[in-house]
């Protein structure tokens, strides 16, 4: 795409209990002055940054939908906050909702044609929570491998682990019990889990995923404060989080999708389908958590499904 179609910038953002100036980085692909609602993309993690979702920028050329990416506070090109590590009172849903509202107001996205919201993985926690408040300008909602509650996510992870080879299950269980999350044995088990459920692309990891892995390894403040030290559990500030009681408040037409072999198991996707009134659920065969990165055939299915839903 032409450089003229890409705009980058920073939005000032006030973070509670942080005295220094903070900002949210954003990247726009397309023309916000077009007649199409803009698509705001919320990345996963927490802490991955936006880069692995850039294939959705193709929706500008294929469907005329401007796409707004941003790095959530604490990661990527936005302000990092290592001094807040362990502060569970700060790293709550309200912080991310405030940041999203701030971005929308700064870019005037609630004006004119309004906006669509796309939340992937962790972003699929914040997006339904935001949509449940029925914000001005929201047209449609997409929950991609989203999470309805921490309880359902942990239960889905438990079910997925039971499908792994017995020796892998044993290694993960024993090392996790001892808190040995950096041991070679645990890391080997996690690698098998990730290749089976997180991203089934071969070779793994695909190049589009490398920036996300780099972001998460460089600064673990956000992820470890919110989720804890284990990628297979949630022992941080979101340990008891749920948006299930609020899902019935979502009135925007909603597309929900996940992969057949997804870390966002059907049990954490099902509440979206059960409680949102205007909803469609699609499961992509032979796909994991990163459907859009798992080969050209699945990617095309995902992009066309999303584009057609938004243009309908």
């Amino acid at each position: 795409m032409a450089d003229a179609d890409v705009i980058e910038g920073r939005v000032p953002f006030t973070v509670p209990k942080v005295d220094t100036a903070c900002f949210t980085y954003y990247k726009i692909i397309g023309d916000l002055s077009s007649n199409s609602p803009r698509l705001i993309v919320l990345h996963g993690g927490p802490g991955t940054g936006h880069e692995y979702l850039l294939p959705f920028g193709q929706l500008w050329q294929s469907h005329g939908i401007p796409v707004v990416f941003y790095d959530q506070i604490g990661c990527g090109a936005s302000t990092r906050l290592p001094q807040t590590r362990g502060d569970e009172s700060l790293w709550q849903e309200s912080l991310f909702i405030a940041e999203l509202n701030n971005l929308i107001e700064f870019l005037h996205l609630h004006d004119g044609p309004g906006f669509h919201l796309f939340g992937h993985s962790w972003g699929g926690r914040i997006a339904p929570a935001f949509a449940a408040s029925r914000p001005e300008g929201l047209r449609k909602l997409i929950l991609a491998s989203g999470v309805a509650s921490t309880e359902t996510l942990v239960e889905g992870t438990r079910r997925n682990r039971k499908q792994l080879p017995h020796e892998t299950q044993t290694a993960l269980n024993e090392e996790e019990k001892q808190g040995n999350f950096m041991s070679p044995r645990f890391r080997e088990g996690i690698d098998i889990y990730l290749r089976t459920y997180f991203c089934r692309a071969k070779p793994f990891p695909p190049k589009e995923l490398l920036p996300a892995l780099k972001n998460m390894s460089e600064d673990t403040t956000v992820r470890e404060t919110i989720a804890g030290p284990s990628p297979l559990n949630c022992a941080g500030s979101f340990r008891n989080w749920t948006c299930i009681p609020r899902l019935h408040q979502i009135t925007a037409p909603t597309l929900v999708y996940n992969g057949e072999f997804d870390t966002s198991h059907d049990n954490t996707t099902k509440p979206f389908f059960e409680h949102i009134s205007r909803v469609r659920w699609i499961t992509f065969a032979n796909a994991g958590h990163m459907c859009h990165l798992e080969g050209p055939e699945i990617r095309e299915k995902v992009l066309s499904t999303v584009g057609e839903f938004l243009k309908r």
Side-chain angles (χ1 to χ4, degrees), residues 55-56 145 199-202 257-261 282-306:
F56 288 96
S145 298
C199 184
R200 296 169 64 83
K202 296 179 181 180
Y257 76 75
N258 66 340
E260 180 182 1
F261 305 96
I282 295 175
T283 297
F284 292 101
N286 300 314
H289 194 59
M290 294 286 172
C291 299
H292 67 286
L293 299 182
E294 299 181 12
E297 182 177 347
I298 298 178
R299 175 181 298 193
E300 177 55 33
K301 287 180 181 178
V302 172
L303 291 177
S304 62
T305 298
V306 170

PDB file of all heavy atoms in Angstrom, residues 55-56 145 199-202 257-261 282-306:
ATOM      1  N   PRO A  55      -2.012  -7.596   9.047  1.00  0.00           N
ATOM      2  CA  PRO A  55      -2.719  -8.110   7.862  1.00  0.00           C
ATOM      3  C   PRO A  55      -4.149  -7.574   7.722  1.00  0.00           C
ATOM      4  O   PRO A  55      -4.664  -7.493   6.605  1.00  0.00           O
ATOM      5  CB  PRO A  55      -2.705  -9.624   8.090  1.00  0.00           C
ATOM      6  CG  PRO A  55      -1.423  -9.861   8.825  1.00  0.00           C
ATOM      7  CD  PRO A  55      -1.313  -8.694   9.762  1.00  0.00           C
ATOM      8  N   PHE A  56      -4.775  -7.187   8.824  1.00  0.00           N
ATOM      9  CA  PHE A  56      -6.129  -6.639   8.737  1.00  0.00           C
ATOM     10  C   PHE A  56      -6.133  -5.244   8.107  1.00  0.00           C
ATOM     11  O   PHE A  56      -7.196  -4.734   7.743  1.00  0.00           O
ATOM     12  CB  PHE A  56      -6.798  -6.624  10.110  1.00  0.00           C
ATOM     13  CG  PHE A  56      -7.166  -7.994  10.591  1.00  0.00           C
ATOM     14  CD1 PHE A  56      -6.320  -8.698  11.440  1.00  0.00           C
ATOM     15  CD2 PHE A  56      -8.346  -8.598  10.175  1.00  0.00           C
ATOM     16  CE1 PHE A  56      -6.641  -9.982  11.862  1.00  0.00           C
ATOM     17  CE2 PHE A  56      -8.674  -9.887  10.590  1.00  0.00           C
ATOM     18  CZ  PHE A  56      -7.826 -10.582  11.439  1.00  0.00           C
ATOM     19  N   SER A 145     -11.239 -14.834  18.653  1.00  0.00           N
ATOM     20  CA  SER A 145     -10.590 -15.645  19.697  1.00  0.00           C
ATOM     21  C   SER A 145     -10.596 -14.884  21.018  1.00  0.00           C
ATOM     22  O   SER A 145      -9.594 -14.807  21.727  1.00  0.00           O
ATOM     23  CB  SER A 145      -9.165 -16.013  19.282  1.00  0.00           C
ATOM     24  OG  SER A 145      -9.166 -16.801  18.112  1.00  0.00           O
ATOM     25  N   CYS A 199      -0.500 -20.970  17.784  1.00  0.00           N
ATOM     26  CA  CYS A 199      -0.289 -20.680  16.367  1.00  0.00           C
ATOM     27  C   CYS A 199       0.220 -21.929  15.679  1.00  0.00           C
ATOM     28  O   CYS A 199       1.309 -22.408  15.986  1.00  0.00           O
ATOM     29  CB  CYS A 199       0.699 -19.531  16.185  1.00  0.00           C
ATOM     30  SG  CYS A 199       0.925 -19.043  14.452  1.00  0.00           S
ATOM     31  N   ARG A 200      -0.579 -22.456  14.747  1.00  0.00           N
ATOM     32  CA  ARG A 200      -0.272 -23.725  14.102  1.00  0.00           C
ATOM     33  C   ARG A 200       0.493 -23.554  12.788  1.00  0.00           C
ATOM     34  O   ARG A 200       0.648 -24.496  12.021  1.00  0.00           O
ATOM     35  CB  ARG A 200      -1.581 -24.483  13.862  1.00  0.00           C
ATOM     36  CG  ARG A 200      -2.273 -24.863  15.160  1.00  0.00           C
ATOM     37  CD  ARG A 200      -3.683 -25.370  14.955  1.00  0.00           C
ATOM     38  NE  ARG A 200      -3.760 -26.619  14.201  1.00  0.00           N
ATOM     39  CZ  ARG A 200      -3.596 -27.833  14.725  1.00  0.00           C
ATOM     40  NH1 ARG A 200      -3.347 -27.951  16.035  1.00  0.00           N
ATOM     41  NH2 ARG A 200      -3.699 -28.912  13.981  1.00  0.00           N
ATOM     42  N   ALA A 201       0.994 -22.341  12.539  1.00  0.00           N
ATOM     43  CA  ALA A 201       1.750 -22.066  11.315  1.00  0.00           C
ATOM     44  C   ALA A 201       3.049 -22.864  11.308  1.00  0.00           C
ATOM     45  O   ALA A 201       3.661 -23.098  12.353  1.00  0.00           O
ATOM     46  CB  ALA A 201       2.050 -20.581  11.201  1.00  0.00           C
ATOM     47  N   LYS A 202       3.443 -23.287  10.127  1.00  0.00           N
ATOM     48  CA  LYS A 202       4.719 -23.973   9.942  1.00  0.00           C
ATOM     49  C   LYS A 202       5.477 -23.269   8.826  1.00  0.00           C
ATOM     50  O   LYS A 202       4.952 -23.129   7.724  1.00  0.00           O
ATOM     51  CB  LYS A 202       4.485 -25.455   9.600  1.00  0.00           C
ATOM     52  CG  LYS A 202       3.813 -26.232  10.720  1.00  0.00           C
ATOM     53  CD  LYS A 202       3.582 -27.685  10.321  1.00  0.00           C
ATOM     54  CE  LYS A 202       2.889 -28.444  11.456  1.00  0.00           C
ATOM     55  NZ  LYS A 202       2.644 -29.854  11.094  1.00  0.00           N
ATOM     56  N   TYR A 257     -15.499 -15.232  16.293  1.00  0.00           N
ATOM     57  CA  TYR A 257     -14.843 -16.377  15.661  1.00  0.00           C
ATOM     58  C   TYR A 257     -13.682 -16.877  16.507  1.00  0.00           C
ATOM     59  O   TYR A 257     -13.084 -16.143  17.278  1.00  0.00           O
ATOM     60  CB  TYR A 257     -14.401 -16.060  14.226  1.00  0.00           C
ATOM     61  CG  TYR A 257     -13.162 -15.208  14.042  1.00  0.00           C
ATOM     62  CD1 TYR A 257     -11.881 -15.723  14.246  1.00  0.00           C
ATOM     63  CD2 TYR A 257     -13.262 -13.888  13.592  1.00  0.00           C
ATOM     64  CE1 TYR A 257     -10.748 -14.959  14.028  1.00  0.00           C
ATOM     65  CE2 TYR A 257     -12.137 -13.110  13.371  1.00  0.00           C
ATOM     66  CZ  TYR A 257     -10.879 -13.656  13.592  1.00  0.00           C
ATOM     67  OH  TYR A 257      -9.753 -12.888  13.387  1.00  0.00           O
ATOM     68  N   ASN A 258     -13.404 -18.165  16.336  1.00  0.00           N
ATOM     69  CA  ASN A 258     -12.226 -18.785  16.947  1.00  0.00           C
ATOM     70  C   ASN A 258     -11.754 -19.900  16.036  1.00  0.00           C
ATOM     71  O   ASN A 258     -12.340 -20.156  14.975  1.00  0.00           O
ATOM     72  CB  ASN A 258     -12.517 -19.279  18.366  1.00  0.00           C
ATOM     73  CG  ASN A 258     -13.517 -20.414  18.415  1.00  0.00           C
ATOM     74  OD1 ASN A 258     -14.288 -20.637  17.474  1.00  0.00           O
ATOM     75  ND2 ASN A 258     -13.547 -21.151  19.527  1.00  0.00           N
ATOM     76  N   GLY A 259     -10.668 -20.563  16.421  1.00  0.00           N
ATOM     77  CA  GLY A 259     -10.132 -21.667  15.642  1.00  0.00           C
ATOM     78  C   GLY A 259     -10.542 -23.007  16.237  1.00  0.00           C
ATOM     79  O   GLY A 259     -10.887 -23.099  17.422  1.00  0.00           O
ATOM     80  N   GLU A 260     -10.505 -24.038  15.426  1.00  0.00           N
ATOM     81  CA  GLU A 260     -10.850 -25.380  15.901  1.00  0.00           C
ATOM     82  C   GLU A 260      -9.935 -25.796  17.048  1.00  0.00           C
ATOM     83  O   GLU A 260     -10.368 -26.464  17.983  1.00  0.00           O
ATOM     84  CB  GLU A 260     -10.733 -26.370  14.738  1.00  0.00           C
ATOM     85  CG  GLU A 260     -11.062 -27.794  15.109  1.00  0.00           C
ATOM     86  CD  GLU A 260     -10.880 -28.770  13.944  1.00  0.00           C
ATOM     87  OE1 GLU A 260     -10.474 -28.320  12.849  1.00  0.00           O
ATOM     88  OE2 GLU A 260     -11.125 -29.982  14.127  1.00  0.00           O
ATOM     89  N   PHE A 261      -8.657 -25.412  16.964  1.00  0.00           N
ATOM     90  CA  PHE A 261      -7.672 -25.720  18.013  1.00  0.00           C
ATOM     91  C   PHE A 261      -7.177 -24.389  18.580  1.00  0.00           C
ATOM     92  O   PHE A 261      -6.096 -23.933  18.251  1.00  0.00           O
ATOM     93  CB  PHE A 261      -6.513 -26.524  17.437  1.00  0.00           C
ATOM     94  CG  PHE A 261      -6.934 -27.779  16.723  1.00  0.00           C
ATOM     95  CD1 PHE A 261      -7.092 -27.782  15.342  1.00  0.00           C
ATOM     96  CD2 PHE A 261      -7.178 -28.946  17.422  1.00  0.00           C
ATOM     97  CE1 PHE A 261      -7.478 -28.936  14.672  1.00  0.00           C
ATOM     98  CE2 PHE A 261      -7.567 -30.110  16.763  1.00  0.00           C
ATOM     99  CZ  PHE A 261      -7.723 -30.106  15.381  1.00  0.00           C
ATOM    100  N   ILE A 282     -18.420 -18.209  14.096  1.00  0.00           N
ATOM    101  CA  ILE A 282     -17.744 -19.026  13.096  1.00  0.00           C
ATOM    102  C   ILE A 282     -16.497 -19.646  13.724  1.00  0.00           C
ATOM    103  O   ILE A 282     -15.742 -18.961  14.424  1.00  0.00           O
ATOM    104  CB  ILE A 282     -17.339 -18.191  11.869  1.00  0.00           C
ATOM    105  CG1 ILE A 282     -18.582 -17.674  11.138  1.00  0.00           C
ATOM    106  CG2 ILE A 282     -16.471 -19.001  10.911  1.00  0.00           C
ATOM    107  CD1 ILE A 282     -18.257 -16.739   9.988  1.00  0.00           C
ATOM    108  N   THR A 283     -16.288 -20.932  13.493  1.00  0.00           N
ATOM    109  CA  THR A 283     -15.060 -21.600  13.911  1.00  0.00           C
ATOM    110  C   THR A 283     -14.303 -22.029  12.664  1.00  0.00           C
ATOM    111  O   THR A 283     -14.850 -22.729  11.802  1.00  0.00           O
ATOM    112  CB  THR A 283     -15.352 -22.828  14.791  1.00  0.00           C
ATOM    113  OG1 THR A 283     -16.010 -22.401  15.993  1.00  0.00           O
ATOM    114  CG2 THR A 283     -14.061 -23.546  15.164  1.00  0.00           C
ATOM    115  N   PHE A 284     -13.048 -21.602  12.541  1.00  0.00           N
ATOM    116  CA  PHE A 284     -12.236 -21.927  11.377  1.00  0.00           C
ATOM    117  C   PHE A 284     -11.539 -23.273  11.585  1.00  0.00           C
ATOM    118  O   PHE A 284     -10.813 -23.471  12.568  1.00  0.00           O
ATOM    119  CB  PHE A 284     -11.211 -20.831  11.112  1.00  0.00           C
ATOM    120  CG  PHE A 284     -11.832 -19.536  10.663  1.00  0.00           C
ATOM    121  CD1 PHE A 284     -12.007 -18.489  11.555  1.00  0.00           C
ATOM    122  CD2 PHE A 284     -12.269 -19.381   9.353  1.00  0.00           C
ATOM    123  CE1 PHE A 284     -12.596 -17.306  11.152  1.00  0.00           C
ATOM    124  CE2 PHE A 284     -12.860 -18.194   8.935  1.00  0.00           C
ATOM    125  CZ  PHE A 284     -13.032 -17.157   9.837  1.00  0.00           C
ATOM    126  N   ALA A 285     -11.784 -24.196  10.663  1.00  0.00           N
ATOM    127  CA  ALA A 285     -11.241 -25.551  10.758  1.00  0.00           C
ATOM    128  C   ALA A 285      -9.718 -25.536  10.689  1.00  0.00           C
ATOM    129  O   ALA A 285      -9.110 -24.736   9.959  1.00  0.00           O
ATOM    130  CB  ALA A 285     -11.811 -26.413   9.641  1.00  0.00           C
ATOM    131  N   ASN A 286      -9.097 -26.427  11.474  1.00  0.00           N
ATOM    132  CA  ASN A 286      -7.652 -26.648  11.485  1.00  0.00           C
ATOM    133  C   ASN A 286      -6.849 -25.416  11.903  1.00  0.00           C
ATOM    134  O   ASN A 286      -5.650 -25.335  11.630  1.00  0.00           O
ATOM    135  CB  ASN A 286      -7.165 -27.116  10.106  1.00  0.00           C
ATOM    136  CG  ASN A 286      -7.826 -28.405   9.677  1.00  0.00           C
ATOM    137  OD1 ASN A 286      -7.916 -29.348  10.457  1.00  0.00           O
ATOM    138  ND2 ASN A 286      -8.312 -28.445   8.438  1.00  0.00           N
ATOM    139  N   ALA A 287      -7.502 -24.462  12.552  1.00  0.00           N
ATOM    140  CA  ALA A 287      -6.824 -23.232  12.956  1.00  0.00           C
ATOM    141  C   ALA A 287      -6.658 -23.166  14.463  1.00  0.00           C
ATOM    142  O   ALA A 287      -7.398 -23.793  15.218  1.00  0.00           O
ATOM    143  CB  ALA A 287      -7.609 -22.015  12.469  1.00  0.00           C
ATOM    144  N   GLY A 288      -5.667 -22.375  14.886  1.00  0.00           N
ATOM    145  CA  GLY A 288      -5.440 -22.131  16.301  1.00  0.00           C
ATOM    146  C   GLY A 288      -5.835 -20.715  16.670  1.00  0.00           C
ATOM    147  O   GLY A 288      -6.734 -20.120  16.066  1.00  0.00           O
ATOM    148  N   HIS A 289      -5.121 -20.151  17.630  1.00  0.00           N
ATOM    149  CA  HIS A 289      -5.448 -18.831  18.172  1.00  0.00           C
ATOM    150  C   HIS A 289      -5.117 -17.709  17.193  1.00  0.00           C
ATOM    151  O   HIS A 289      -5.734 -16.650  17.229  1.00  0.00           O
ATOM    152  CB  HIS A 289      -4.670 -18.638  19.475  1.00  0.00           C
ATOM    153  CG  HIS A 289      -5.127 -17.509  20.321  1.00  0.00           C
ATOM    154  ND1 HIS A 289      -6.416 -17.410  20.808  1.00  0.00           N
ATOM    155  CD2 HIS A 289      -4.466 -16.406  20.797  1.00  0.00           C
ATOM    156  CE1 HIS A 289      -6.530 -16.314  21.543  1.00  0.00           C
ATOM    157  NE2 HIS A 289      -5.366 -15.692  21.547  1.00  0.00           N
ATOM    158  N   MET A 290      -4.131 -17.939  16.340  1.00  0.00           N
ATOM    159  CA  MET A 290      -3.693 -16.927  15.369  1.00  0.00           C
ATOM    160  C   MET A 290      -4.175 -17.292  13.970  1.00  0.00           C
ATOM    161  O   MET A 290      -3.387 -17.419  13.035  1.00  0.00           O
ATOM    162  CB  MET A 290      -2.161 -16.807  15.396  1.00  0.00           C
ATOM    163  CG  MET A 290      -1.613 -16.278  16.688  1.00  0.00           C
ATOM    164  SD  MET A 290      -1.924 -14.501  16.848  1.00  0.00           S
ATOM    165  CE  MET A 290      -1.392 -14.211  18.535  1.00  0.00           C
ATOM    166  N   CYS A 291      -5.475 -17.434  13.818  1.00  0.00           N
ATOM    167  CA  CYS A 291      -6.053 -17.876  12.542  1.00  0.00           C
ATOM    168  C   CYS A 291      -5.472 -17.127  11.344  1.00  0.00           C
ATOM    169  O   CYS A 291      -5.131 -17.729  10.321  1.00  0.00           O
ATOM    170  CB  CYS A 291      -7.570 -17.675  12.543  1.00  0.00           C
ATOM    171  SG  CYS A 291      -8.477 -18.573  13.804  1.00  0.00           S
ATOM    172  N   HIS A 292      -5.370 -15.824  11.471  1.00  0.00           N
ATOM    173  CA  HIS A 292      -4.978 -14.990  10.322  1.00  0.00           C
ATOM    174  C   HIS A 292      -3.500 -15.116   9.967  1.00  0.00           C
ATOM    175  O   HIS A 292      -3.062 -14.568   8.948  1.00  0.00           O
ATOM    176  CB  HIS A 292      -5.317 -13.522  10.608  1.00  0.00           C
ATOM    177  CG  HIS A 292      -4.495 -12.916  11.699  1.00  0.00           C
ATOM    178  ND1 HIS A 292      -4.691 -13.214  13.034  1.00  0.00           N
ATOM    179  CD2 HIS A 292      -3.460 -12.023  11.668  1.00  0.00           C
ATOM    180  CE1 HIS A 292      -3.826 -12.543  13.762  1.00  0.00           C
ATOM    181  NE2 HIS A 292      -3.069 -11.817  12.962  1.00  0.00           N
ATOM    182  N   LEU A 293      -2.723 -15.823  10.759  1.00  0.00           N
ATOM    183  CA  LEU A 293      -1.299 -16.019  10.475  1.00  0.00           C
ATOM    184  C   LEU A 293      -0.972 -17.465  10.121  1.00  0.00           C
ATOM    185  O   LEU A 293       0.209 -17.804   9.970  1.00  0.00           O
ATOM    186  CB  LEU A 293      -0.455 -15.601  11.689  1.00  0.00           C
ATOM    187  CG  LEU A 293      -0.567 -14.143  12.138  1.00  0.00           C
ATOM    188  CD1 LEU A 293       0.364 -13.888  13.319  1.00  0.00           C
ATOM    189  CD2 LEU A 293      -0.273 -13.180  10.997  1.00  0.00           C
ATOM    190  N   GLU A 294      -1.987 -18.302   9.973  1.00  0.00           N
ATOM    191  CA  GLU A 294      -1.745 -19.741   9.834  1.00  0.00           C
ATOM    192  C   GLU A 294      -1.944 -20.232   8.401  1.00  0.00           C
ATOM    193  O   GLU A 294      -2.657 -21.186   8.152  1.00  0.00           O
ATOM    194  CB  GLU A 294      -2.635 -20.484  10.834  1.00  0.00           C
ATOM    195  CG  GLU A 294      -2.303 -20.081  12.270  1.00  0.00           C
ATOM    196  CD  GLU A 294      -3.137 -20.800  13.315  1.00  0.00           C
ATOM    197  OE1 GLU A 294      -3.822 -21.776  12.978  1.00  0.00           O
ATOM    198  OE2 GLU A 294      -3.104 -20.375  14.482  1.00  0.00           O
ATOM    199  N   GLY A 295      -1.276 -19.561   7.488  1.00  0.00           N
ATOM    200  CA  GLY A 295      -1.309 -19.977   6.087  1.00  0.00           C
ATOM    201  C   GLY A 295      -2.232 -19.102   5.258  1.00  0.00           C
ATOM    202  O   GLY A 295      -3.205 -18.542   5.759  1.00  0.00           O
ATOM    203  N   PRO A 296      -1.926 -18.966   3.963  1.00  0.00           N
ATOM    204  CA  PRO A 296      -2.684 -18.062   3.090  1.00  0.00           C
ATOM    205  C   PRO A 296      -4.154 -18.433   2.944  1.00  0.00           C
ATOM    206  O   PRO A 296      -5.007 -17.551   2.824  1.00  0.00           O
ATOM    207  CB  PRO A 296      -1.949 -18.160   1.751  1.00  0.00           C
ATOM    208  CG  PRO A 296      -1.145 -19.427   1.821  1.00  0.00           C
ATOM    209  CD  PRO A 296      -0.800 -19.601   3.258  1.00  0.00           C
ATOM    210  N   GLU A 297      -4.486 -19.718   2.973  1.00  0.00           N
ATOM    211  CA  GLU A 297      -5.878 -20.127   2.788  1.00  0.00           C
ATOM    212  C   GLU A 297      -6.743 -19.687   3.967  1.00  0.00           C
ATOM    213  O   GLU A 297      -7.819 -19.094   3.787  1.00  0.00           O
ATOM    214  CB  GLU A 297      -5.967 -21.648   2.614  1.00  0.00           C
ATOM    215  CG  GLU A 297      -7.394 -22.137   2.356  1.00  0.00           C
ATOM    216  CD  GLU A 297      -7.461 -23.635   2.123  1.00  0.00           C
ATOM    217  OE1 GLU A 297      -6.397 -24.255   1.907  1.00  0.00           O
ATOM    218  OE2 GLU A 297      -8.571 -24.188   2.165  1.00  0.00           O
ATOM    219  N   ILE A 298      -6.270 -19.963   5.197  1.00  0.00           N
ATOM    220  CA  ILE A 298      -7.042 -19.561   6.372  1.00  0.00           C
ATOM    221  C   ILE A 298      -7.068 -18.045   6.490  1.00  0.00           C
ATOM    222  O   ILE A 298      -8.097 -17.448   6.825  1.00  0.00           O
ATOM    223  CB  ILE A 298      -6.470 -20.206   7.651  1.00  0.00           C
ATOM    224  CG1 ILE A 298      -6.557 -21.729   7.572  1.00  0.00           C
ATOM    225  CG2 ILE A 298      -7.221 -19.707   8.886  1.00  0.00           C
ATOM    226  CD1 ILE A 298      -5.969 -22.454   8.765  1.00  0.00           C
ATOM    227  N   ARG A 299      -5.929 -17.394   6.190  1.00  0.00           N
ATOM    228  CA  ARG A 299      -5.890 -15.936   6.265  1.00  0.00           C
ATOM    229  C   ARG A 299      -6.936 -15.311   5.352  1.00  0.00           C
ATOM    230  O   ARG A 299      -7.655 -14.392   5.764  1.00  0.00           O
ATOM    231  CB  ARG A 299      -4.501 -15.409   5.889  1.00  0.00           C
ATOM    232  CG  ARG A 299      -4.446 -13.881   5.825  1.00  0.00           C
ATOM    233  CD  ARG A 299      -3.085 -13.362   5.423  1.00  0.00           C
ATOM    234  NE  ARG A 299      -2.059 -13.727   6.370  1.00  0.00           N
ATOM    235  CZ  ARG A 299      -0.844 -13.196   6.394  1.00  0.00           C
ATOM    236  NH1 ARG A 299      -0.516 -12.256   5.514  1.00  0.00           N
ATOM    237  NH2 ARG A 299       0.045 -13.572   7.276  1.00  0.00           N
ATOM    238  N   GLU A 300      -7.036 -15.804   4.141  1.00  0.00           N
ATOM    239  CA  GLU A 300      -8.006 -15.261   3.197  1.00  0.00           C
ATOM    240  C   GLU A 300      -9.431 -15.466   3.695  1.00  0.00           C
ATOM    241  O   GLU A 300     -10.282 -14.578   3.570  1.00  0.00           O
ATOM    242  CB  GLU A 300      -7.828 -15.913   1.827  1.00  0.00           C
ATOM    243  CG  GLU A 300      -8.833 -15.470   0.777  1.00  0.00           C
ATOM    244  CD  GLU A 300      -8.873 -13.965   0.573  1.00  0.00           C
ATOM    245  OE1 GLU A 300      -7.817 -13.322   0.712  1.00  0.00           O
ATOM    246  OE2 GLU A 300      -9.973 -13.442   0.289  1.00  0.00           O
ATOM    247  N   LYS A 301      -9.691 -16.625   4.293  1.00  0.00           N
ATOM    248  CA  LYS A 301     -11.028 -16.886   4.843  1.00  0.00           C
ATOM    249  C   LYS A 301     -11.357 -15.901   5.961  1.00  0.00           C
ATOM    250  O   LYS A 301     -12.466 -15.368   6.036  1.00  0.00           O
ATOM    251  CB  LYS A 301     -11.111 -18.323   5.374  1.00  0.00           C
ATOM    252  CG  LYS A 301     -11.163 -19.396   4.294  1.00  0.00           C
ATOM    253  CD  LYS A 301     -11.254 -20.778   4.932  1.00  0.00           C
ATOM    254  CE  LYS A 301     -11.295 -21.868   3.867  1.00  0.00           C
ATOM    255  NZ  LYS A 301     -11.346 -23.226   4.481  1.00  0.00           N
ATOM    256  N   VAL A 302     -10.379 -15.661   6.824  1.00  0.00           N
ATOM    257  CA  VAL A 302     -10.600 -14.753   7.946  1.00  0.00           C
ATOM    258  C   VAL A 302     -10.846 -13.331   7.450  1.00  0.00           C
ATOM    259  O   VAL A 302     -11.820 -12.668   7.842  1.00  0.00           O
ATOM    260  CB  VAL A 302      -9.405 -14.777   8.916  1.00  0.00           C
ATOM    261  CG1 VAL A 302      -9.544 -13.680   9.974  1.00  0.00           C
ATOM    262  CG2 VAL A 302      -9.290 -16.140   9.587  1.00  0.00           C
ATOM    263  N   LEU A 303      -9.969 -12.846   6.568  1.00  0.00           N
ATOM    264  CA  LEU A 303     -10.084 -11.473   6.087  1.00  0.00           C
ATOM    265  C   LEU A 303     -11.373 -11.252   5.302  1.00  0.00           C
ATOM    266  O   LEU A 303     -12.034 -10.218   5.452  1.00  0.00           O
ATOM    267  CB  LEU A 303      -8.870 -11.106   5.229  1.00  0.00           C
ATOM    268  CG  LEU A 303      -7.538 -10.984   5.974  1.00  0.00           C
ATOM    269  CD1 LEU A 303      -6.404 -10.700   5.003  1.00  0.00           C
ATOM    270  CD2 LEU A 303      -7.597  -9.894   7.035  1.00  0.00           C
ATOM    271  N   SER A 304     -11.739 -12.217   4.475  1.00  0.00           N
ATOM    272  CA  SER A 304     -12.971 -12.072   3.695  1.00  0.00           C
ATOM    273  C   SER A 304     -14.191 -12.131   4.598  1.00  0.00           C
ATOM    274  O   SER A 304     -15.166 -11.394   4.404  1.00  0.00           O
ATOM    275  CB  SER A 304     -13.055 -13.121   2.593  1.00  0.00           C
ATOM    276  OG  SER A 304     -13.083 -14.430   3.129  1.00  0.00           O
ATOM    277  N   THR A 305     -14.155 -13.006   5.611  1.00  0.00           N
ATOM    278  CA  THR A 305     -15.268 -13.101   6.557  1.00  0.00           C
ATOM    279  C   THR A 305     -15.468 -11.793   7.308  1.00  0.00           C
ATOM    280  O   THR A 305     -16.577 -11.284   7.452  1.00  0.00           O
ATOM    281  CB  THR A 305     -15.034 -14.249   7.562  1.00  0.00           C
ATOM    282  OG1 THR A 305     -14.972 -15.498   6.852  1.00  0.00           O
ATOM    283  CG2 THR A 305     -16.149 -14.314   8.592  1.00  0.00           C
ATOM    284  N   VAL A 306     -14.357 -11.229   7.794  1.00  0.00           N
ATOM    285  CA  VAL A 306     -14.420  -9.964   8.530  1.00  0.00           C
ATOM    286  C   VAL A 306     -14.886  -8.831   7.619  1.00  0.00           C
ATOM    287  O   VAL A 306     -15.773  -8.047   7.965  1.00  0.00           O
ATOM    288  CB  VAL A 306     -13.053  -9.633   9.148  1.00  0.00           C
ATOM    289  CG1 VAL A 306     -13.030  -8.207   9.703  1.00  0.00           C
ATOM    290  CG2 VAL A 306     -12.722 -10.620  10.271  1.00  0.00           C
TER     291      VAL A 306
END
